[in-house]
Amino acid sequence: MNGSRAAISRPARWMGGTRRTVPFVAPALASLALGLWGIDRRDSMWRDESVTYQVAHRSLGELWGLLGHIDAVHGLYYLLMHGVFSVWDGGLVALRLPSVVATALAAAGVGAIGARLAGRRAGTLAGLVFALLPLTQQYAQEGRSYAMVTAGVTWATYFFLRATGDARARWGTAYALTLGLACWLHEFAALALFAHGLTLWWSRVPRPVWRSWAVAAACVVAGLLPLALVSVGQAERQLGWLGRPGLTAWLQYLALSATGMLLCRLLVRHRGSATGSDAAAGAAGSSTGVVSLVRLALPLLITPAGLLMVMSLVKPWYVDRYVLFGMTGLALPAGAALGRAIGQRRRLAPAVRVPAACLAVCVVVAVLLPWSLLMRSPESRKDDVVAVAHAVQRTAHEGDGVLFMPSRRREWLLSYPGVYGRLDDLALAESPESSHTLQGTELPAAEIRRRILAADRIVALTDPAGQPLDPFPREEIKRKTLEDHFDVCSRTPLRGAQLVVHARPGHCTP
């Protein structure tokens, strides 16, 4: 975004040598270590990750056919994962390792932004805060695109920051390309454009900066347009399962927004009280730097999630992971506030400093460790595809009929063709590959009933008891036919699922 050197803020005068790399390297290494810790999540995988796993293992022709029908919004991610599995079919580690690396890159980007605006200490701490956030840790070990999107938006934000104060076109080009890539990984990354526009308006930048940013933003939108046109036609199939944001979602959004605003208010109120080496460099205590950090962070935290939630009042599209990149806007003021608190430790008596520091560390560990352990357990996700497949393998007999109730739960076995292939899928009309769908297509209700009645023993995979039942004719006929003509032999509760074995009256066996 060339045309003016009037920056949102002037960069800190960093010292050379290895110290300059600390805000990038330290958060990235910490994030990498956290991501690799327990990466297999006790040998568990939930259904969204299973979609990635089985779709990425399809041929390129089958994958292309799928994207023409559904999931085009994840198309680039599936192609990348197809490449990963072509090089190394490393199971759960290969599934999640790209997200681990992407989160490390995002943490480095947070550190880079913080260091440029508020100095090395603040940048390093902001990157570490980002790496430690429970949401960050969760999606660092998720075989989906959200960590990559966050990395793309974070580095695009860094290039956006550089472009406001550098007349060379390379920063604006890097901004447009990086954000465009993030949008192709998930098109809701385009909401970051609103946050960046609000930052420019709040910072009162001159018109040349506005014009340069508008050109870059137009390039992002133009590049995204083909994907948007395709995905709009798929929206009902893609997002039809979503409801409008509930009270819990609104409260979470308000709590995060309030936390960010409180941190920013504290920073602005005490922006002139810097101490330590960063103050000597004119960074952490710089009024301009702190104000610029606030003007960059708050829109990124509040605007994308807020816009998506408001849009979802009309068309339900909101899920918090779609705007995970907003966590960058929370980590930046948190890191700057921590940096200021550390810089003011000299005001404490020497006998108080060490106990105070130890107490702070203990509080952080006590708060974050339970969340970190939970994120690395099967209980952190809605269900566990691995546990379902193992239960079916133990329980089902060769040639047993199998019913998925509802049909979308076929995903529980698709990543385990060795288990699925032993069973007779009574409702299946076309496989996922031949029908270019995620879970295949099912027979008409009357044909499903006929095939159920021809079976002697059926394994039904259903949602847990108490979940809403699909009102569709195919699902109703499955339930009614089993209830009228079969006995329940066993019922096995699983994480987010249950396995129910049915047999003809009097034919249940141990």
Side-chain angles (χ1 to χ4, degrees):
M1 286 180 283
N2 57 335
S4 172
R5 290 186 180 273
I8 290 176
S9 78
R10 295 297 177 190
R13 297 194 302 274
W14 296 347
M15 296 177 66
T18 57
R19 290 186 180 182
R20 184 172 180 174
T21 66
V22 170
F24 311 90
V25 175
L29 290 178
S31 177
L32 195 62
L34 288 168
L36 294 175
W37 168 32
I39 190 172
D40 67 343
R41 284 207 318 269
R42 302 183 201 166
D43 193 29
S44 66
M45 173 173 64
W46 80 294
R47 57 180 177 255
D48 276 19
E49 290 183 298
S50 177
V51 170
T52 298
Y53 187 84
Q54 59 98 358
V55 167
H57 279 84
R58 297 188 190 185
S59 69
L60 287 176
E62 291 169 341
L63 183 51
W64 183 255
L66 170 73
L67 300 180
H69 182 262
I70 196 172
D71 250 11
V73 66
H74 297 300
L76 178 58
Y77 176 69
Y78 289 150
L79 288 170
L80 291 172
M81 293 306 298
H82 178 86
V84 169
F85 285 118
S86 297
V87 173
W88 175 48
D89 199 348
L92 294 177
V93 176
L95 175 68
R96 293 171 186 149
L97 191 58
S99 292
V100 172
V101 174
T103 303
L105 289 173
V110 174
I113 295 169
R116 184 164 185 84
L117 290 175
R120 291 188 309 276
R121 180 194 294 148
T124 303
L125 290 169
L128 291 174
V129 167
F130 176 83
L132 287 168
L133 288 172
L135 271 179
T136 302
Q137 293 189 56
Q138 177 177 348
Y139 291 104
Q141 293 186 343
E142 187 98 333
R144 298 296 281 173
S145 64
Y146 310 112
M148 292 186 184
V149 174
T150 300
V153 172
T154 301
W155 278 102
T157 301
Y158 173 78
F159 296 138
F160 162 79
L161 185 64
R162 295 298 302 266
T164 63
D166 196 320
R168 289 171 293 183
R170 65 182 188 182
W171 295 115
T173 302
Y175 170 71
L177 290 175
T178 308
L179 189 55
L181 177 62
C183 291
W184 269 83
L185 285 166
H186 197 287
E187 58 192 315
F188 286 160
L191 293 169
L193 288 170
F194 293 93
H196 295 157
L198 183 57
T199 294
L200 293 179
W201 171 81
W202 199 357
S203 302
R204 295 187 177 90
V205 298
R207 288 184 180 179
V209 177
W210 270 110
R211 285 196 296 268
S212 299
W213 174 78
V215 169
C219 290
V220 172
V221 173
L224 181 60
L225 193 58
L227 175 61
L229 292 175
V230 173
S231 60
V232 163
Q234 300 177 355
E236 189 60 34
R237 295 189 298 273
Q238 183 79 40
L239 301 174
W241 59 275
L242 284 174
R244 290 176 175 80
L247 178 61
T248 300
W250 281 105
L251 291 176
Q252 289 174 343
Y253 169 71
L254 292 174
L256 285 173
S257 300
T259 301
M261 287 188 287
L262 177 62
L263 288 169
C264 289
R265 180 172 176 81
L266 291 173
L267 286 173
V268 172
R269 285 183 62 185
H270 302 288
R271 62 183 180 269
S273 58
T275 61
S277 61
D278 279 345
S286 164
S287 173
T288 303
V290 169
V291 170
S292 296
L293 185 145
V294 168
R295 290 173 176 172
L296 183 74
L298 269 186
L300 195 58
L301 172 63
I302 295 174
T303 306
L307 283 174
L308 193 56
M309 292 188 78
V310 171
M311 289 163 55
S312 294
L313 295 176
V314 178
K315 199 74 173 178
W317 285 348
Y318 176 78
V319 180
D320 58 357
R321 57 183 177 267
Y322 293 168
V323 285
L324 177 66
F325 54 84
M327 291 300 97
T328 295
L330 180 63
L332 285 168
L338 282 173
R340 173 157 298 144
I342 292 172
Q344 292 178 343
R345 68 189 184 278
R346 295 179 181 177
R347 296 183 180 182
L348 298 175
V352 178
R353 290 178 196 167
V354 173
C358 291
L359 178 61
V361 170
C362 289
V363 169
V364 170
V365 170
V367 171
L368 291 179
L369 185 59
W371 282 100
S372 296
L373 294 173
L374 176 62
M375 292 302 107
R376 288 159 180 81
S377 71
E379 290 72 25
S380 64
R381 269 63 174 185
K382 291 181 179 179
D383 56 10
D384 184 359
V385 170
V386 180
V388 172
H390 288 171
V392 172
Q393 189 172 34
R394 291 190 304 267
T395 305
H397 300 165
E398 186 80 27
D400 277 352
V402 63
L403 288 173
F404 300 92
M405 305 163 59
S407 62
R408 56 185 176 275
R409 299 299 176 249
R410 188 171 282 106
E411 190 57 55
W412 284 335
L413 291 187
L414 289 178
S415 292
Y416 289 86
V419 177
Y420 182 46
R422 296 172 56 229
L423 305 174
D424 181 15
D425 192 338
L426 300 176
L428 186 67
E430 282 191 276
S431 70
E433 292 82 4
S434 61
S435 63
H436 304 309
T437 60
L438 292 175
Q439 286 92 30
T441 58
E442 294 205 334
L443 296 162
E447 180 64 15
I448 292 174
R449 183 179 186 277
R450 187 192 68 78
R451 295 192 65 186
I452 292 175
L453 292 175
D456 294 322
R457 191 172 187 269
I458 296 174
V459 174
L461 292 172
T462 75
D463 287 333
Q467 292 296 309
L469 300 175
D470 281 17
F472 309 124
R474 290 181 177 90
E475 301 304 330
E476 290 178 342
I477 204 69
K478 293 176 193 176
R479 295 192 297 265
K480 181 169 177 53
T481 306
L482 288 174
E483 181 181 348
D484 291 346
H485 299 279
F486 288 80
D487 287 341
V488 173
C489 302
S490 65
R491 190 182 300 271
T492 305
L494 300 163
R495 176 68 187 170
Q498 61 177 337
L499 187 157
V500 186
V501 178
H502 300 263
R504 289 291 185 176
H507 288 79
C508 287
T509 58

